[in-house]
Amino acid sequence: MASSDERPYSISIPDSELDFLKKKLELTRFPDELEGAAWNYGAPLSDIKRLVGHWQDGYDWRKSEAALNTLPMFTRDIEVEGFGTLNIHYVHQKSDVAGAIPLLFAHGWPGSFLEVRKLLPLLSAGGPDHPSFHVVAPSLPGFGFSEAPSKPGFKGPQYAEVLNKLMLALGYEEYVYQGGDWGYALGKYVVTNYGHRHVKAWHTNMPLPGAPSLFKNPLLYLGMFFLSYDETSMKRLANMKRHRTKGTGYFNEQATKPQTIGYSLADSPVGLLSWIYEKLVSWTDEYPWTDDEVIEWISVYWLSRAGPAASTRIYHELTGGMTHDTDQGTVWTSVPLGVSYFPKEIFQLPKSWSHTLGNLVFESDHDKGGHFAAFEQPEAIAGDLRKMFGKGGPAHGVVPGKGGY
Amino acid sequence: MSDFPVKEYPFTIHVPDADLDLLQRKLDSTRLPDELELDGSQQWTYGTPLSSIKRLVARWREGYDWRKSEAEINKLPMYTRDISVDNFGTLNIHYVHQRSNVLDAIPLLFVHGWPGHFLEVRKLLPLLTEESADHPSFHVVAVSLPGYAFSEAPTKPGFGAPQFAEVFNKLMISLGYEEYVYQGGDWAHVLGIRAANMYGGRHIKAWHTNCPITKPKLSTILAHPSLIPRILASPFVKDAREAYATSKRYLSLECAYMKEQETRPQTLGYSLADSPVGLLAWIYEKLVAWSDDYPWTDDEVLEWVSIYWFSRAGPAASLRIYYEMSHGGTGDFFHGTQWIPIPTGVSYFPGEIVRLPKSWTRLLGNVVYQVEHDQGGHFAAHEVPERLACDLRKMFGRGGPAFGVVPGRSGYSLKKN
């Protein structure tokens, strides 16, 4: 299982890049704002002005870079059928526990490999009371410091191929999977294509089931008519409707015209900042973002290997330019599935519908946390994974020989 | 030019050197994205193509001369005027005002939409104000919507259709045009419906649209039962099927800009205010997609986008109309409007982005004039000005269905040549 051919990776942004960014920040031209707008029209001007000021004068990328470089990061060439070789950046934190469970952590948009940071010590820690994990957290192709595909058509199966091949290359023939946002959607492809054979179980903090259908989920379907949804479910659906009505402009643009918005995101630091910051705040559960945290998060996009525009293409590719759902072609499997519900997640369907996603063996409810659960509530996510995979848990021992202890 | 009794305040554009300098410095430090490898026919699949943007940015950096554009635009008769709007204070409004030599020319208010602006009237001006025994003449007022070009923007939330209509009407009345006609497409069409509802009959005597869309209301249909058979026949009519297909394509694939502008105009606004290439790509995508094979020159595009870049309130302000008109993306633009009883003229252009079956047009109002074209798109006044001018001449000219609709202003000279 030794990965002696792992190529360690250190982020080293050239000075010229940082100087260029500084120059652009100095040229920032702000819009005006309506009186009393608050968050109603989008990210507020006072927040954005403060953050831009901090980016110019207070934030130190080299300090972030040095801290990130203490993470065990690597790159590896992964061949993708029809797309050649992509050089993939990933974090690989091994546990001291020999029988630790290999876990692939997949981020989404506007997320990144940074989201695994707080989970690493929790998941890789050993002990008699809870299982331990070897954690692999890649930057998706087109994100962070991974290369991006150069041709159209890089869809769910291609992302899944990269993820699976990465694990296999690291010697993890059998592993488990965790993800939210695109990490959830790609999980469906990973499980559809590699379930049982390689992926032995999976967990998501952003379940996005469709409505039950008569033929696939007859009992649930009939339940829709005869059982009234409880107050919680109705509230969840109302939240969902609100998100769909007010919060999906970015989705539609990225799914239909990623190149058009890409010019702004590539060229304008404040444009990129506000586009992402709006989600960092509206999708979290009052997470107390520090300015440094926000700027570091945005900087990973600004300084990414393929540039920020590349990261938006996943929306176009996985929806066929907004002509179909993101899980088209995936199937229900009996691979054990765990789900965690966080109150401020943007997609909230009735919990009973989670059964349509897979073989639901674990559910956990939280009263705090939002879309970026691993970042906001790392103990909750780690706790759920420990319960699901630990002794007595419903997915204990799914990876033969790697019980986690 | 005959003596005009109303005092007007001439306006010339003069963008400060510092603003030009900032734009140049920004252009010089443009950072472009990459692009997926695409075949020729796929160029626009993911949005505005990189090759177009590279070419346009290069021209904008070196070659395109704003001062030359500015000097040409300043030859237009432009003015500004303070207009007070209930609950919104006073807005200083920019407009073009071209009088005809014909004293009894018909006063016409021309309004633009997004991403349009007052310059869309430019090619129409000589055509509409021309004196002739064969067709009517107009006094043309082309207003910059609040928040666009050189008009001030409202500073408070809630500036919606009634407020826009109030600005239009007060502007015309302040110029001595108590009674006038209205022409517009895009937002000007939607706002025109409201203006016609509020001031139709009393001030607006007739109106014309080149973008005839509406949201049919059951009450309207029931009030006009003679329309029902034609509406029901729609699925069987080729024109209706084509209109439906066009509209469906637009609504599902081309409307993301609208969703963002309706819900988060401020967020998008940071990009459009800060990034010339971002603004260029955002607008150019529509200039091409919404026109009918119009042969845009690079300088034409850059001049168009420069109006937004150098606008008085900045490009972000221009987006807010979407938010206000849709109540932050929760409502529809036509809410609260009624069937229009004043004479209504409609021109159908094949490249228009969203089209209703023609049988539905009468749900809009008292349609007295309809004409179908085989060329021209969303920016009709800019793309095919002769056709639009011709339509207005036919509608309002001798023998036309709206001839003499403005009392005492037939559009023809009393003198015989």
Side-chain angles (χ1 to χ4, degrees):
Chain A
M1 204 174 71
S3 315
S4 56
D5 60 344
E6 290 211 86
R7 248 161 280 127
Y9 177 77
S10 283
I11 306 167
S12 180
I13 303 296
D15 281 336
S16 58
E17 282 288 330
L18 297 180
D19 290 341
F20 180 67
L21 171 58
K22 197 170 158 63
K23 183 167 147 194
K24 277 183 137 338
L25 286 166
E26 277 162 22
L27 297 176
T28 298
R29 187 175 79 154
F30 290 102
D32 67 341
E33 188 183 56
L34 292 178
E35 288 163 26
W39 277 87
N40 294 330
Y41 291 75
L45 185 57
S46 55
D47 283 27
I48 297 300
K49 276 187 162 165
R50 188 192 74 245
L51 285 164
V52 168
H54 186 72
W55 204 350
Q56 285 180 276
D57 301 322
Y59 174 74
D60 182 355
W61 166 259
R62 292 295 182 208
K63 193 164 151 222
S64 279
E65 194 179 66
L68 285 173
N69 284 338
T70 65
L71 294 172
M73 297 192 294
F74 308 86
T75 55
R76 181 172 282 270
D77 284 343
I78 303 285
E79 177 121 5
V80 182
E81 223 179 296
F83 288 85
T85 301
L86 291 179
N87 190 251
I88 300 299
H89 158 251
Y90 61 99
V91 175
H92 185 193
Q93 176 77 64
K94 295 190 63 150
S95 164
D96 288 336
V97 175
I101 309 161
L103 180 142
L104 172 64
F105 173 90
H107 69 84
W109 188 97
S112 70
F113 72 97
L114 291 178
E115 290 178 80
V116 82
R117 207 172 186 177
K118 301 178 191 181
L119 282 182
L120 289 178
L122 298 171
L123 291 179
S124 61
D129 303 326
H130 58 77
S132 184
F133 301 82
H134 300 307
V135 182
V136 179
S139 287
L140 292 177
F143 289 76
F145 303 102
S146 288
E147 273 187 321
S150 56
K151 292 169 19 179
F154 200 93
K155 297 174 183 288
Q158 285 67 42
Y159 282 96
E161 187 181 334
V162 167
L163 298 174
N164 190 57
K165 279 183 169 169
L166 176 62
M167 292 305 271
L168 297 184
L170 295 178
Y172 300 131
E173 281 285 326
E174 292 165 318
Y175 58 92
V176 302
Y177 179 106
Q178 202 290 326
D181 195 86
W182 285 114
Y184 153 75
L186 298 181
K188 291 205 77 184
Y189 286 92
V190 169
V191 168
T192 293
N193 294 341
Y194 309 109
H196 292 305
R197 176 133 185 253
H198 296 297
V199 183
K200 310 303 282 187
W202 68 303
H203 175 277
T204 181
N205 48 291
M206 195 196 85
L208 186 49
S213 78
L214 176 59
F215 296 108
K216 289 191 190 155
N217 330 96
L219 290 178
L220 270 180
Y221 180 81
L222 291 170
M224 270 170 32
F225 296 97
F226 296 109
L227 306 171
S228 60
Y229 283 108
D230 61 16
E231 203 192 307
T232 307
S233 290
M234 295 309 290
K235 200 158 158 239
R236 289 173 70 79
L237 282 169
N239 284 343
M240 175 84 172
K241 183 163 184 259
R242 209 178 142 270
H243 170 73
R244 282 223 189 277
T245 307
K246 304 271 297 173
T248 53
Y250 82 99
F251 184 102
N252 292 10
E253 181 66 16
Q254 293 174 196
T256 56
K257 312 282 186 204
Q259 190 69 14
T260 301
I261 188 62
Y263 294 103
S264 288
L265 301 182
D267 184 58
S268 172
V270 67
L272 177 69
L273 166 66
S274 51
W275 196 254
I276 293 180
Y277 177 68
E278 185 208 285
K279 304 312 182 192
L280 296 185
V281 173
S282 56
W283 293 359
T284 53
D285 190 359
E286 281 164 24
Y287 178 77
W289 293 97
T290 66
D291 288 355
D292 271 351
E293 252 172 337
V294 172
I295 302 299
E296 180 178 81
W297 193 288
I298 307 303
S299 294
V300 168
Y301 272 85
W302 182 263
L303 300 169
S304 59
R305 191 162 174 184
S311 71
T312 58
R313 288 170 199 147
I314 191 172
Y315 287 80
H316 195 286
E317 299 294 13
L318 262 81
T319 63
M322 220 162 89
T323 59
H324 60 71
D325 289 335
T326 57
D327 60 359
Q328 194 191 62
T330 63
V331 297
W332 189 98
T333 74
S334 55
V335 172
L337 164 67
V339 168
S340 298
Y341 302 104
F342 289 91
K344 282 297 182 70
E345 181 52 81
I346 51 178
F347 294 114
Q348 296 187 11
L349 286 317
K351 291 178 190 157
S352 58
W353 295 11
S354 295
H355 289 274
T356 68
L357 294 176
N359 176 18
L360 194 62
V361 303
F362 176 84
E363 281 180 287
S364 172
D365 236 314
H366 296 278
D367 57 19
K368 184 116 182 88
H371 185 73
F372 300 102
F375 198 80
E376 299 177 61
Q377 299 290 318
E379 294 86 4
I381 292 277
D384 287 350
L385 291 170
R386 288 171 172 182
K387 281 203 206 86
M388 180 175 170
F389 291 102
K391 282 189 182 124
H396 178 60
V398 284
V399 180
K402 310 226 172 128
Y405 295 88
Chain B
M1 181 89 122
S2 48
D3 279 320
F4 188 61
V6 176
K7 180 169 167 55
E8 292 191 272
Y9 306 90
F11 175 77
T12 47
I13 306 169
H14 185 79
V15 173
D17 283 337
D19 290 359
L20 284 178
D21 188 56
L22 176 64
L23 172 59
Q24 187 67 47
R25 287 196 290 154
K26 280 176 167 298
L27 288 168
D28 289 343
S29 29
T30 296
R31 186 174 80 154
L32 290 171
D34 67 344
E35 188 182 54
L36 295 175
E37 294 158 17
L38 299 167
D39 300 327
S41 62
Q42 306 254 299
Q43 286 298 304
W44 287 84
T45 308
Y46 291 79
T48 314
L50 184 58
S51 58
S52 301
I53 293 297
K54 275 184 169 165
R55 191 190 72 244
L56 285 162
V57 168
R59 178 71 185 168
W60 207 353
R61 282 183 73 184
E62 201 158 357
Y64 172 68
D65 183 353
W66 165 258
R67 291 291 184 213
K68 188 161 158 231
S69 279
E70 195 179 65
E72 279 303 307
I73 298 170
N74 280 337
K75 291 179 182 168
L76 294 169
M78 296 191 293
Y79 308 87
T80 54
R81 195 172 202 82
D82 283 342
I83 303 286
S84 78
V85 182
D86 291 347
N87 296 320
F88 285 87
T90 301
L91 294 179
N92 189 251
I93 300 298
H94 161 248
Y95 63 98
V96 175
H97 185 195
Q98 177 82 65
R99 297 266 297 172
S100 165
N101 285 338
V102 175
L103 207 60
D104 295 330
I106 308 159
L108 179 143
L109 175 66
F110 174 90
V111 186
H112 67 84
W114 187 95
H117 49 59
F118 72 102
L119 284 181
E120 288 180 81
V121 81
R122 205 175 192 172
K123 300 178 191 180
L124 282 180
L125 287 178
L127 299 169
L128 291 179
T129 57
E130 178 186 80
E131 177 177 2
S132 170
D134 301 324
H135 59 73
S137 186
F138 301 83
H139 299 308
V140 179
V141 177
V143 66
S144 284
L145 293 176
Y148 288 71
F150 306 101
S151 285
E152 271 188 320
T155 54
K156 291 169 23 177
F159 197 95
Q163 286 70 43
F164 282 100
E166 188 182 334
V167 167
F168 302 156
N169 198 53
K170 281 181 169 170
L171 176 63
M172 292 304 273
I173 290 175
S174 74
L175 294 177
Y177 300 132
E178 281 283 330
E179 292 167 315
Y180 59 96
V181 302
Y182 179 108
Q183 202 290 325
D186 194 84
W187 277 120
H189 163 74
V190 182
L191 298 176
I193 299 175
R194 179 72 63 155
N197 285 165
M198 286 168 68
Y199 307 112
R202 173 124 188 263
H203 296 293
I204 303 180
K205 309 304 283 187
W207 77 301
H208 176 279
T209 174
N210 50 288
C211 185
I213 50 170
T214 187
K215 195 161 177 212
K217 285 203 299 237
L218 186 58
S219 55
T220 306
I221 298 171
L222 293 176
H224 299 87
S226 61
L227 299 177
I228 294 176
R230 291 190 67 197
I231 291 167
L232 290 176
S234 301
F236 307 103
V237 175
K238 181 163 174 268
D239 140 74
R241 286 201 304 275
E242 282 172 1
Y244 175 72
T246 302
S247 302
K248 187 158 178 275
R249 193 182 169 278
Y250 164 74
L251 291 169
S252 56
L253 301 180
E254 303 287 331
C255 252
Y257 79 98
M258 184 182 283
K259 187 86 175 156
E260 181 68 11
Q261 291 174 197
E262 284 181 357
T263 55
R264 304 275 187 254
Q266 189 69 14
T267 296
L268 175 63
Y270 294 104
S271 288
L272 302 189
D274 184 58
S275 171
V277 66
L279 179 68
L280 169 65
W282 196 258
I283 291 180
Y284 182 64
E285 183 197 287
K286 303 313 182 193
L287 295 185
V288 173
W290 295 359
S291 58
D292 187 13
D293 283 336
Y294 179 76
W296 295 98
T297 67
D298 287 354
D299 281 4
E300 216 175 352
V301 171
L302 293 173
E303 180 180 83
W304 192 290
V305 175
S306 292
I307 296 291
Y308 273 86
W309 183 263
F310 292 126
S311 57
R312 191 166 174 179
S318 71
L319 309 176
R320 288 172 198 143
I321 189 173
Y322 286 82
Y323 184 100
E324 303 299 358
M325 295 293 288
S326 68
H327 297 286
T330 61
D332 80 78
F333 304 149
F334 302 96
H335 180 74
T337 58
Q338 312 292 333
W339 192 85
I340 298 166
I342 59 169
T344 300
V346 172
S347 295
Y348 302 100
F349 290 97
E352 188 50 83
I353 50 182
V354 62
R355 294 158 54 194
L356 291 180
K358 293 200 191 71
S359 55
W360 295 30
T361 303
R362 288 180 196 278
L363 292 170
L364 189 59
N366 175 20
V367 177
V368 302
Y369 178 76
Q370 287 185 88
V371 61
E372 195 168 348
H373 291 277
D374 61 7
Q375 196 199 333
H378 187 71
F379 303 102
H382 188 78
E383 298 177 57
V384 287
E386 299 84 5
R387 287 170 181 255
L388 190 58
C390 184
D391 293 351
L392 292 170
R393 289 169 174 177
K394 287 219 189 75
M395 179 176 170
F396 291 101
R398 277 200 188 102
F403 175 64
V405 74
V406 179
R409 303 213 191 235
S410 67
Y412 297 86
S413 189
L414 290 176
K415 309 194 294 285
K416 297 273 188 257
N417 290 341

